[in-house]
Amino acid sequence: MMIKFSNNLMAVLVLLLSIAYSCKQKQKETSEANKEQWIKLFNGKNLEGWSPKIKGYALGDNYNNTFIVEDGILKVSYKAYDSFNNAFGHLFYKTPYSDYKFKMDYRFTGEQAPGGRAWALRNSGIMIHCEDPKGMELNQNFPVSIEVQLLGGNGVDERATGNLCTPGTHVFYKDSLITEHIIQSSSKTYHGDQWVHVEIEVRNDSIIKHFINGKEVLRYSKPHIGGGAVNTGDKWLPKENQPLKGGYISLQSESHPVEFKNIELLVLDE
């Protein structure tokens, strides 16, 4: 049986199809535009755009090839170390940011370097709102910053990842000033050498959120300078309570081999 459509009905059908197609195209264009805004911070080939600062060594000195690139992956390696000897390191990206989303994948591998601290087993971090590495002292352990702590399971105990550490800083958590050095996230434990996806949403000196494998595990606000945990004496006392509105991003080397890939950043409107 053949169905006949009136001219009016046909016009309506054509209009609806046109609207549906237009909406689909706009969604596709919006999705592509959002995707294009993500900046690849790591090119998968070398350390272009990144500078190491390792305790006891000048900015730019990649002591013992601590930071290397192999098979498209940025690795923290201790193959050339006889002993870790408290050579805490940070690999800084060249550009400071204030409002952004940062994401990457990480995993811990192998055995901890000889001489590493017990607490540094399967321990690394993403440092955000970092001070300018050019101003760091030669023997400074950590930059004044906010640390998104990355922990791997030890195969037995529960050990959350995506925690907060505060070297030389304080934050507000659940509307209260927190002066403790560590705030634990609600994440599950990830044992072994599995890849874990971490994302951070940073809103200037307002709200900061941590996500692990797509799930929010921690949020806090009002990051500012305060407290200890950075061996710089009284250098920062004049800036006590100063809000941290932005800064550099760095990746840690704390004595356990760790790998990073898919390192990207999305600049957000203030």
Side-chain angles (χ1 to χ4, degrees), residues 78-93:
Y78 298 101
K79 294 178 182 178
Y81 281 67
D82 293 324
S83 175
F84 182 64
N85 197 29
N86 292 329
F88 296 102
H90 298 80
L91 186 68
F92 284 83
Y93 190 65

Side-chain angles (χ1 to χ4, degrees), residues 66-87:
T66 303
F67 299 100
I68 61 174
V69 178
E70 291 181 340
D71 302 320
I73 296 172
L74 198 165
K75 299 182 180 182
V76 175
S77 171
Y78 298 101
K79 294 178 182 178
Y81 281 67
D82 293 324
S83 175
F84 182 64
N85 197 29
N86 292 329

Side-chain angles (χ1 to χ4, degrees), residues 15 33 47 73 99 115 123 127 130 149 161 201 236:
L15 178 61
L47 297 178
I73 296 172
D99 294 80
N123 188 339
M127 318 299 276
C130 287
Q149 186 189 49
T161 188
E201 182 177 336
W236 290 89

Side-chain angles (χ1 to χ4, degrees), residues 21 47 56 123 144 146 182 196:
Y21 177 78
L47 297 178
N123 188 339
V144 170
I146 296 293
I182 299 176
V196 180

Side-chain angles (χ1 to χ4, degrees), residues 5 25 32 55 71 76 114 119 129 146 216 232 234 238 260:
F5 294 98
Q25 284 296 106
E32 289 177 350
K55 181 189 174 186
D71 302 320
V76 175
W119 52 260
H129 282 358
I146 296 293
E216 183 179 323
T232 56
D234 296 334
F260 308 110

Side-chain angles (χ1 to χ4, degrees), residues 42 72-75 102-108 124 126 150 193-200 211-214 251 258-264:
F42 171 52
I73 296 172
L74 198 165
K75 299 182 180 182
F102 174 95
K103 65 181 180 181
M104 72 173 188
D105 301 305
Y106 74 92
R107 69 173 180 177
F108 293 96
S124 186
I126 307 162
L150 307 177
D193 295 355
Q194 61 181 303
W195 286 102
V196 180
H197 184 73
V198 57
E199 187 167 330
I200 313 161
F211 300 83
I212 298 294
N213 284 345
L251 304 177
V258 59
E259 301 181 352
F260 308 110
K261 66 179 182 178
N262 302 325
I263 306 172
E264 298 183 17

Side-chain angles (χ1 to χ4, degrees), residues 19-205:
I19 292 173
Y21 177 78
S22 177
C23 289
K24 188 174 181 179
Q25 284 296 106
K26 286 181 179 179
Q27 288 175 350
K28 181 179 179 181
E29 290 170 3
T30 300
S31 177
E32 289 177 350
N34 289 338
K35 185 177 180 181
E36 289 175 355
Q37 292 176 9
W38 283 93
I39 304 167
K40 290 185 180 295
L41 302 188
F42 171 52
N43 63 19
K45 300 175 183 178
N46 52 46
L47 297 178
E48 182 180 353
W50 297 83
S51 297
K53 174 62 187 81
I54 298 171
K55 181 189 174 186
Y57 300 90
L59 177 66
D61 185 347
N62 192 11
Y63 169 68
N64 273 348
N65 286 323
T66 303
F67 299 100
I68 61 174
V69 178
E70 291 181 340
D71 302 320
I73 296 172
L74 198 165
K75 299 182 180 182
V76 175
S77 171
Y78 298 101
K79 294 178 182 178
Y81 281 67
D82 293 324
S83 175
F84 182 64
N85 197 29
N86 292 329
F88 296 102
H90 298 80
L91 186 68
F92 284 83
Y93 190 65
K94 62 183 180 180
T95 307
Y97 294 99
S98 295
D99 294 80
Y100 59 92
K101 288 183 178 180
F102 174 95
K103 65 181 180 181
M104 72 173 188
D105 301 305
Y106 74 92
R107 69 173 180 177
F108 293 96
T109 62
E111 301 298 324
Q112 187 179 18
R117 303 287 186 90
W119 52 260
L121 175 75
R122 290 181 170 266
N123 188 339
S124 186
I126 307 162
M127 318 299 276
I128 61 176
H129 282 358
C130 287
E131 63 175 291
D132 189 334
K134 295 185 183 69
M136 287 181 66
E137 297 181 11
L138 189 68
N139 290 309
Q140 189 171 334
N141 283 337
F142 309 99
V144 170
S145 59
I146 296 293
E147 177 186 348
V148 181
Q149 186 189 49
L150 307 177
L151 295 179
N154 59 18
V156 179
D157 305 304
E158 292 298 313
R159 204 168 185 234
T161 188
N163 307 309
L164 167 69
C165 295
T166 53
T169 55
H170 290 319
V171 301
F172 278 72
Y173 176 62
K174 296 182 178 179
D175 297 323
S176 297
L177 173 65
I178 301 297
T179 57
E180 289 84 358
H181 182 54
I182 299 176
I183 301 176
Q184 186 169 302
S185 82
S186 62
S187 89
K188 60 183 261 188
T189 301
Y190 295 90
H191 296 290
D193 295 355
Q194 61 181 303
W195 286 102
V196 180
H197 184 73
V198 57
E199 187 167 330
I200 313 161
E201 182 177 336
V202 181
R203 295 287 185 172
N204 208 287
D205 64 340

Side-chain angles (χ1 to χ4, degrees), residues 239-251:
K239 296 183 178 181
E240 195 86 4
N241 297 318
Q242 178 177 303
L244 282 173
K245 296 177 175 292
Y248 291 84
I249 298 169
S250 69
L251 304 177

